[in-house]
Amino acid sequence: MKFFYSLFILGSLMFASSPGKEQTHIQFEQYQLPNGLTVILHEDRSAPVAAVVVMYHVGSKNEKPKRTGFAHLFEHMMFQGSEHVADDEHFKLLQEVGANINGTTNEDRTNYFEIVPSNYLELALYLESDRMGFLLPAITQEKLNNQIDVVKNERRQSYDNQPYGTSSEKISAAMFPPMHPYHWPVIGYMEDLSEAQLGDVSEFFKTYYAPNNACVAIAGNFETKQTKQWIDKYFGDIPRGKSFERPSPIPVSFNEDKRMMFEDKVKLPRLYIDWVSAPMNTREDAVLDVLSDILGSGKTSRMYKSLVYEKQIAQTAVAYQSGMEIGGQFEIQITAKPEKTLVEMETAFDNVLDNLFKNGVTQKEIDNALSQKETQFINSLSTVFGKANQLATYFTYTGEPNRINKELERYHNITPEEVMLVAKKYLTAPKIVLSIVPEGKTDLAAKNSMMWKGN
C-alpha cells in the first residue's frame, strides 16, 4: 500500500500549568489511503488496551427538510450486521472479548468506537471495515423498520416524555429558519422517521459513509507496523464515495425577541434564554465559553450566587456556550423554585446582565474559568479513548488533528476587555425566550410569551 503522506509529531505527553503558557504534546502519526480514508495512530503503552474511533463527517445538518433523523438512524443500523457479519454479531463478538463499544451522533459528525484488549485490535478493525464497505447488502426494509421503531421509542423516552425534553428542538426551530441545517433535532421528527424508505437511507449512506468522508483514529497499546498492515488489508479496497457539497455557514438574525411558552408535564417552570453565537474552534467561541462559566458554571458563578444563594428564588441557574461547525448558541437555563414565576427569573437575570455590562468582569474570574477549561481538557485526554476521539474530532472539523496540541492557545490572553466586547456583540442582540411551565400554569410564564404553535 502506498500512502499519500505521513506526518509525525514527536514529543512527550505533558500539560501546562495554565492555559497558553505551555501546550499538550501528544505524539501521533497521520496518513491517508488512496481511497481517501485518513488514519491517525497514537501509541500509548501504559495499559494493554486500544481504542478505535471511526468518525464520519456526517450529522443531522447533512439531512434535508422532511428527511430528518437519518444520521442518528444509521448510528443504530451500523450495529445491526453487515454483509459478512450476521445480525447482532457486531455487538456479540466484541462484548465476548470484553470490549466497550458504542456510537454517538450530533449535528455535525457521527462516531463509532471500541475500547478493546490490545490482542483484539484486528477484530475491531475488521468489524469497522465491514460495515463501512459492506453495510448496504445487509440492510432490508424489515431491519430498517425495526430500527425506525427503536428510534421512535428512544425519542418518546428521551424527548417527548422527558420533562423539558423538547426544549432544545423548540429553541432550534425558532432560532434557525426552516431550511437551515440546525433547524431540526438530531433524532429527527416522528413524521419524517415514519416516511423513511430504504431507497432514501441507502442513498444517504452511499454519500456520507465512505472512506473519503471518514477517519480512523487508534490510540493505545499496539504495534504500528502490524496495525498499518491490518488497516491496509481491511480498509484499503473499500471504494471512495462520490463528492458532495458540505453545508456552509448561513447568517442568522432576527429583528426582535421571540418569546414562546410551552405547557409540559413538569413540576417547576424553567426559563430558557438563547442567542445566536460563534461557531466552534474560533476565538469568540473560547471567549464566550469563558463568559458562560463566569455567568453560570458552579456555585461561585454570578447567576448561582444571585438567583440561588442570595435571592433564593431559583433551583438551578446555568449558562452554556455551544459552538457547532457552522454556528453556535449561547444559552441561559433557570429553573424556578416552587411558587416562583419566570417573570421573577427573567428580571433577576436581567439584573445580573446589567451588572455585567455596567461593571465588567475581573481577571480573577477569567483565570478561574481558564483553570476549569484546562482541567476539563486534560481530563478529556486521560484515557486512550479520549485521545483517539479528540484526534478524530480535530481532524474532522479542522483537518488538523494536531489542534489537540494547540487547543489551549484559543484561550491565551483573554482579557476583561475582550470578554466585554464579545458579550456586548452577542448578548445585546434579539434573543429566544422560552418558558416551559407546568400544565395549566401559564400564569407562571415570562411576560408576553406566545403559546408554542409547532415547528
Side-chain angles (χ1 to χ4, degrees):
M1 174 59 63
K2 296 179 180 178
F3 302 126
F4 282 173
Y5 62 90
S6 184
L7 173 65
F8 292 84
I9 305 297
L10 301 177
S12 58
L13 176 63
M14 70 179 188
F15 300 98
S17 59
S18 62
K21 292 181 179 178
E22 293 183 65
Q23 298 294 329
T24 54
H25 292 278
I26 294 179
Q27 178 181 339
F28 67 90
E29 178 181 354
Q30 175 191 353
Y31 62 92
Q32 193 175 59
L33 303 186
N35 62 11
L37 179 69
T38 294
V39 181
I40 304 166
L41 304 176
H42 165 71
E43 286 191 38
D44 179 344
R45 302 282 186 175
S46 60
V49 296
V52 178
V53 174
V54 180
M55 189 168 289
Y56 294 90
H57 198 171
V58 57
S60 60
K61 82 168 185 296
N62 298 95
E63 299 160 358
K64 299 176 182 177
K66 307 297 184 185
R67 290 291 183 273
T68 66
F70 282 16
H72 176 256
L73 183 59
F74 269 109
E75 182 193 315
H76 288 252
M77 294 299 298
M78 297 275 264
F79 288 104
Q80 298 308 305
S82 45
E83 186 170 16
H84 308 105
V85 180
D87 296 356
D88 300 322
E89 281 292 300
H90 191 111
F91 267 121
K92 184 172 180 290
L93 289 169
L94 286 167
Q95 288 175 337
E96 283 179 348
V97 302
N100 186 356
I101 172 175
N102 214 331
T104 66
T105 307
N106 67 20
E107 292 84 352
D108 303 310
R109 63 97 184 106
T110 303
N111 72 346
Y112 299 88
F113 60 86
E114 300 85 20
I115 302 99
V116 297
S118 296
N119 52 329
Y120 287 100
L121 175 59
E122 183 181 11
L123 173 65
L125 294 173
Y126 162 69
L127 292 172
E128 288 291 358
S129 70
D130 205 63
R131 58 186 180 185
M132 179 186 286
F134 306 97
L135 182 75
L136 285 184
I139 294 182
T140 64
Q141 189 66 50
E142 182 182 1
K143 289 169 69 173
L144 177 63
N145 291 342
N146 177 270
Q147 289 309 306
I148 287 174
D149 288 341
V150 171
V151 172
K152 283 182 173 178
N153 196 45
E154 180 181 341
R155 184 186 159 99
R156 293 185 189 98
Q157 291 181 339
S158 303
Y159 292 77
D160 300 325
N161 297 326
Q162 184 76 233
Y164 316 103
T166 60
S167 59
S168 62
E169 73 175 48
K170 289 177 168 57
I171 292 166
S172 295
M175 178 174 288
F176 301 107
M179 297 303 292
H180 194 288
Y182 293 151
H183 178 81
W184 49 86
V186 173
I187 199 167
Y189 294 126
M190 279 291 195
E191 57 271 27
D192 296 346
L193 292 168
S194 297
E195 295 295 323
Q197 297 298 312
L198 190 56
D200 295 329
V201 297
S202 295
E203 191 61 31
F204 192 80
F205 181 87
K206 282 190 275 189
T207 303
Y208 297 111
Y209 297 82
N212 49 307
N213 195 40
C215 72
V216 176
I218 304 171
N221 194 339
F222 59 85
E223 201 285 309
T224 297
K225 182 179 178 181
Q226 174 65 78
T227 300
K228 287 182 175 180
Q229 290 174 352
W230 287 333
I231 290 170
D232 182 24
K233 175 181 178 181
Y234 294 117
F235 291 92
D237 292 332
I238 299 174
R240 65 185 301 126
K242 63 183 180 183
S243 59
F244 61 89
E245 188 174 346
R246 297 194 186 282
S248 301
I250 302 173
V252 175
S253 63
F254 29 93
N255 297 326
E256 58 185 13
D257 292 353
K258 297 183 180 181
R259 306 179 68 84
M260 312 174 299
M261 171 176 53
F262 181 71
E263 293 179 77
D264 201 358
K265 292 179 181 178
V266 297
K267 296 289 186 183
L268 298 173
R270 179 179 290 173
L271 182 69
Y272 297 83
I273 304 175
D274 283 75
W275 291 267
V276 175
S277 70
M280 66 167 63
N281 291 323
T282 60
R283 175 69 170 192
E284 288 189 333
D285 175 43
V287 176
L288 286 166
D289 202 13
V290 168
L291 175 61
S292 71
D293 276 4
I294 293 172
L295 285 175
S297 178
K299 295 183 178 180
T300 59
S301 67
R302 293 188 178 199
M303 288 169 56
Y304 191 95
K305 283 196 291 187
S306 175
L307 277 73
V308 178
Y309 182 69
E310 294 173 359
K311 294 185 173 67
Q312 298 189 20
I313 58 175
Q315 291 283 99
T316 61
V318 293
Y320 306 100
Q321 157 62 12
S322 300
M324 297 175 283
E325 191 169 16
I326 60 170
Q329 288 179 241
F330 190 93
E331 179 167 292
I332 302 295
Q333 276 186 32
I334 305 171
T335 305
K337 276 186 172 294
E339 309 305 322
K340 300 297 180 183
T341 72
L342 298 184
V343 173
E344 294 172 273
M345 300 307 112
E346 187 171 15
T347 300
F349 172 69
D350 285 344
N351 289 337
V352 171
L353 204 55
D354 289 343
N355 179 271
L356 177 84
F357 289 137
K358 181 179 179 181
N359 298 311
V361 299
T362 66
Q363 190 61 50
K364 182 179 179 181
E365 287 179 304
I366 294 173
D367 291 342
N368 288 340
L370 292 178
S371 293
Q372 291 184 47
K373 298 304 166 196
E374 182 183 23
T375 300
Q376 292 167 2
F377 185 63
I378 290 172
N379 286 339
S380 76
L381 303 179
S382 62
T383 65
V384 290
F385 166 70
K387 285 183 278 191
N389 198 51
Q390 289 282 19
L391 286 163
T393 299
Y394 283 111
F395 170 77
T396 299
Y397 290 139
T398 70
E400 299 177 47
N402 196 38
R403 288 283 188 101
I404 199 171
N405 293 317
K406 301 177 180 176
E407 169 62 13
L408 296 177
E409 289 179 3
R410 286 199 303 133
Y411 294 86
H412 192 196
N413 289 338
I414 292 177
T415 64
E417 292 75 20
E418 186 177 16
V419 172
M420 294 313 301
L421 279 174
V422 174
K424 288 174 182 174
K425 175 180 177 180
Y426 288 100
L427 305 193
T428 59
K431 57 189 179 294
I432 307 293
V433 180
L434 171 64
S435 297
I436 301 286
V437 297
E439 291 177 322
K441 297 284 187 180
T442 58
D443 57 312
L444 297 179
K447 288 181 180 178
N448 303 320
S449 299
M450 303 294 290
M451 189 66 75
W452 173 256
K453 295 181 179 178
N455 300 318

